Amino acid sequence: MKQEPPCAEIKLYEKANFSIGVAVNTEKLKNEEKYWKLVLSQFNSLSPEKTLKPIYIHPKKDQFDFTETDHLIDFCKTYNKRLHGHTLVWDESLPLWIEKFKGDKTEWEALMKDHIQTVINHCKGYIKSWDVVNEAFNDDGTYKKNIWFNHIGETYIEQAFLYASQADPTAKLFYNDYSLETNGQKLDKVLKHFSGLKARGIKVDGVGMQMHVSVDYPSVTAINLSALSIQAQGFLVHYSELDVILSGREYLFTGKKKMFEMQKERMKQIVEGYLKLKPEYQFGITLWGVSDNDSWQTEKHPRSRPLLFDVRYRVKPAYCGFLEGLGN
Ligand code: XIL
């Protein structure tokens, strides 16, 4: 018997005054009709889940591969979708040649500058916002001693933003990280750092709170306070990788139906909280995947089911909660 949808499926982005984004898998966008039709009907902003990361786009020192990115640019041009650049400087998804690169500080700075500016210059005019640096701080607010820190020092962060703004002075430049919605100490250190950069004339426009949360953690109050703190420092707020995982523990004792209702309520609260921001600070909410079948969380938590559509691209209660949060 055909399962009745929990609510009507309408165009989500048409009900929002801010961008509704989604992380996309370019292979599925090319080859799966159900997938790309859902992307078109529900979202007006795309973030490449993988293909703009160095391991895909800069496989060798003097070789860039923009094949997947050009397809994404064409798709977004054709259907008038925003394309957000995720991400330029991160300590994961690096090609082996960068992992093994031998050079002094100046040579590492040149490597990072060449990557940032070549990628931005190729996408200029189509990608107008970038996650310039991703996940650079530990939960205690100290710098991650990652490959960039170890070879360039803590100034690699401001240098990355400087190189990006030199390549495209009109682009919106973001710092993106996880646990900003759960860890006040980390958020305070991050905001202090980037407010300091801005005070010294380095262009930093926004902060991405990744928002990998669960149905019962963190509290909506904590999420809203974090978003308001970012706004208070004059940064655009991007919920950049939203997914709401079903807690494995409760799932076993609560059951799927109850967990889906909790997930619906959580999605509604998150969207209602986001709407408390001033419109000019609302860069958007991006879901980290189209359906539960596409989520990176599933690899770690098979029952997490964290997104708006189920494994068969059907509307879930979470979608209805998101819609209700928008005021519909
Ligand atoms: C993840 C993707 O979803 C996976 O498919 C990939 O294998 C690894 O990266 N924070 C980020 C994202 O900023 O880029 C990560 O995306 C998830 C955590």
mmCIF file of all heavy atoms in Angstrom, residues 2 30 63 89-90 96 135 245 261 282 288 290 297 326:
data_model
loop_
_atom_site.group_PDB
_atom_site.id
_atom_site.type_symbol
_atom_site.label_atom_id
_atom_site.label_comp_id
_atom_site.label_asym_id
_atom_site.label_seq_id
_atom_site.Cartn_x
_atom_site.Cartn_y
_atom_site.Cartn_z
ATOM 1 N N LYS A 2 0.526 2.250 -0.867
ATOM 2 C CA LYS A 2 1.373 3.438 -0.970
ATOM 3 C C LYS A 2 1.323 4.224 0.348
ATOM 4 O O LYS A 2 0.246 4.466 0.895
ATOM 5 C CB LYS A 2 0.863 4.315 -2.132
ATOM 6 C CG LYS A 2 1.765 5.492 -2.475
ATOM 7 C CD LYS A 2 1.315 6.132 -3.793
ATOM 8 C CE LYS A 2 1.935 7.495 -4.127
ATOM 9 N NZ LYS A 2 3.290 7.723 -3.672
ATOM 10 N N LYS A 30 24.396 14.126 -12.022
ATOM 11 C CA LYS A 30 24.490 13.838 -13.463
ATOM 12 C C LYS A 30 23.609 12.653 -13.850
ATOM 13 O O LYS A 30 23.008 12.636 -14.922
ATOM 14 C CB LYS A 30 25.949 13.508 -13.832
ATOM 15 C CG LYS A 30 26.819 14.731 -14.043
ATOM 16 C CD LYS A 30 28.182 14.358 -14.622
ATOM 17 C CE LYS A 30 29.152 13.949 -13.549
ATOM 18 N NZ LYS A 30 30.563 13.931 -14.043
ATOM 19 N N GLN A 63 48.755 20.368 -11.667
ATOM 20 C CA GLN A 63 47.588 19.894 -12.422
ATOM 21 C C GLN A 63 46.316 20.119 -11.628
ATOM 22 O O GLN A 63 46.180 19.628 -10.505
ATOM 23 C CB GLN A 63 47.736 18.394 -12.727
ATOM 24 C CG GLN A 63 46.581 17.798 -13.525
ATOM 25 C CD GLN A 63 46.590 16.278 -13.470
ATOM 26 O OE1 GLN A 63 47.649 15.654 -13.302
ATOM 27 N NE2 GLN A 63 45.434 15.658 -13.566
ATOM 28 N N VAL A 89 40.889 25.573 2.231
ATOM 29 C CA VAL A 89 41.996 25.187 3.129
ATOM 30 C C VAL A 89 41.452 24.360 4.288
ATOM 31 O O VAL A 89 40.706 24.849 5.122
ATOM 32 C CB VAL A 89 42.756 26.418 3.665
ATOM 33 C CG1 VAL A 89 43.855 25.990 4.650
ATOM 34 C CG2 VAL A 89 43.373 27.213 2.521
ATOM 35 N N TRP A 90 41.794 23.086 4.283
ATOM 36 C CA TRP A 90 41.336 22.118 5.286
ATOM 37 C C TRP A 90 42.465 21.115 5.493
ATOM 38 O O TRP A 90 43.356 21.008 4.638
ATOM 39 C CB TRP A 90 40.055 21.442 4.786
ATOM 40 C CG TRP A 90 39.297 20.590 5.762
ATOM 41 C CD1 TRP A 90 39.289 20.702 7.127
ATOM 42 C CD2 TRP A 90 38.413 19.505 5.440
ATOM 43 N NE1 TRP A 90 38.454 19.754 7.669
ATOM 44 C CE2 TRP A 90 37.898 19.013 6.666
ATOM 45 C CE3 TRP A 90 37.996 18.913 4.253
ATOM 46 C CZ2 TRP A 90 36.992 17.953 6.715
ATOM 47 C CZ3 TRP A 90 37.092 17.869 4.299
ATOM 48 C CH2 TRP A 90 36.600 17.386 5.529
ATOM 49 N N LEU A 96 47.991 13.348 -2.082
ATOM 50 C CA LEU A 96 49.235 12.831 -1.500
ATOM 51 C C LEU A 96 50.379 13.833 -1.705
ATOM 52 O O LEU A 96 51.218 14.021 -0.822
ATOM 53 C CB LEU A 96 49.586 11.486 -2.162
ATOM 54 C CG LEU A 96 50.622 10.619 -1.435
ATOM 55 C CD1 LEU A 96 50.184 10.310 -0.007
ATOM 56 C CD2 LEU A 96 50.897 9.341 -2.228
ATOM 57 N N GLU A 135 37.533 24.133 9.797
ATOM 58 C CA GLU A 135 37.922 23.320 10.968
ATOM 59 C C GLU A 135 39.379 23.537 11.403
ATOM 60 O O GLU A 135 40.187 22.605 11.461
ATOM 61 C CB GLU A 135 37.657 21.829 10.656
ATOM 62 C CG GLU A 135 36.211 21.550 10.270
ATOM 63 C CD GLU A 135 35.932 20.089 9.976
ATOM 64 O OE1 GLU A 135 36.850 19.263 10.095
ATOM 65 O OE2 GLU A 135 34.775 19.767 9.620
ATOM 66 N N ILE A 245 20.864 13.909 13.498
ATOM 67 C CA ILE A 245 20.884 12.444 13.562
ATOM 68 C C ILE A 245 19.960 11.924 14.651
ATOM 69 O O ILE A 245 19.771 12.561 15.691
ATOM 70 C CB ILE A 245 22.317 11.891 13.750
ATOM 71 C CG1 ILE A 245 22.923 12.285 15.085
ATOM 72 C CG2 ILE A 245 23.218 12.311 12.617
ATOM 73 C CD1 ILE A 245 24.260 11.570 15.354
ATOM 74 N N GLU A 261 9.339 11.939 14.947
ATOM 75 C CA GLU A 261 8.576 13.092 15.460
ATOM 76 C C GLU A 261 9.507 14.059 16.213
ATOM 77 O O GLU A 261 9.392 15.277 16.104
ATOM 78 C CB GLU A 261 7.445 12.615 16.378
ATOM 79 C CG GLU A 261 6.255 12.028 15.617
ATOM 80 C CD GLU A 261 5.746 12.961 14.508
ATOM 81 O OE1 GLU A 261 5.506 14.167 14.803
ATOM 82 O OE2 GLU A 261 5.651 12.517 13.338
ATOM 83 N N GLN A 282 21.352 36.511 7.469
ATOM 84 C CA GLN A 282 20.919 35.144 7.136
ATOM 85 C C GLN A 282 21.501 34.713 5.793
ATOM 86 O O GLN A 282 20.907 34.937 4.732
ATOM 87 C CB GLN A 282 19.384 35.073 7.105
ATOM 88 C CG GLN A 282 18.702 35.361 8.420
ATOM 89 C CD GLN A 282 17.192 35.484 8.267
ATOM 90 O OE1 GLN A 282 16.621 35.276 7.193
ATOM 91 N NE2 GLN A 282 16.521 35.853 9.351
ATOM 92 N N TRP A 288 23.248 18.892 4.773
ATOM 93 C CA TRP A 288 24.416 18.176 4.294
ATOM 94 C C TRP A 288 24.036 16.860 3.631
ATOM 95 O O TRP A 288 24.375 15.773 4.070
ATOM 96 C CB TRP A 288 25.450 17.977 5.408
ATOM 97 C CG TRP A 288 26.840 17.814 4.844
ATOM 98 C CD1 TRP A 288 27.610 16.683 4.866
ATOM 99 C CD2 TRP A 288 27.590 18.777 4.110
ATOM 100 N NE1 TRP A 288 28.795 16.895 4.217
ATOM 101 C CE2 TRP A 288 28.828 18.168 3.732
ATOM 102 C CE3 TRP A 288 27.375 20.109 3.726
ATOM 103 C CZ2 TRP A 288 29.817 18.848 3.012
ATOM 104 C CZ3 TRP A 288 28.349 20.789 3.006
ATOM 105 C CH2 TRP A 288 29.555 20.164 2.653
ATOM 106 N N VAL A 290 21.023 15.272 0.288
ATOM 107 C CA VAL A 290 19.641 15.343 -0.204
ATOM 108 C C VAL A 290 18.748 14.396 0.598
ATOM 109 O O VAL A 290 17.733 14.783 1.177
ATOM 110 C CB VAL A 290 19.586 14.984 -1.708
ATOM 111 C CG1 VAL A 290 18.147 14.932 -2.205
ATOM 112 C CG2 VAL A 290 20.398 15.992 -2.530
ATOM 113 N N GLN A 297 26.691 10.728 7.441
ATOM 114 C CA GLN A 297 26.491 10.229 8.807
ATOM 115 C C GLN A 297 26.183 8.723 8.801
ATOM 116 O O GLN A 297 26.483 8.022 9.757
ATOM 117 C CB GLN A 297 25.328 10.976 9.469
ATOM 118 C CG GLN A 297 25.559 12.466 9.666
ATOM 119 C CD GLN A 297 26.458 12.784 10.868
ATOM 120 O OE1 GLN A 297 27.160 11.908 11.370
ATOM 121 N NE2 GLN A 297 26.436 14.025 11.306
ATOM 122 N N LEU A 326 9.462 27.456 8.808
ATOM 123 C CA LEU A 326 9.464 28.609 7.889
ATOM 124 C C LEU A 326 8.170 29.405 7.988
ATOM 125 O O LEU A 326 8.013 30.453 7.373
ATOM 126 C CB LEU A 326 9.682 28.128 6.449
ATOM 127 C CG LEU A 326 11.073 27.592 6.110
ATOM 128 C CD1 LEU A 326 11.074 26.979 4.707
ATOM 129 C CD2 LEU A 326 12.128 28.693 6.213
#
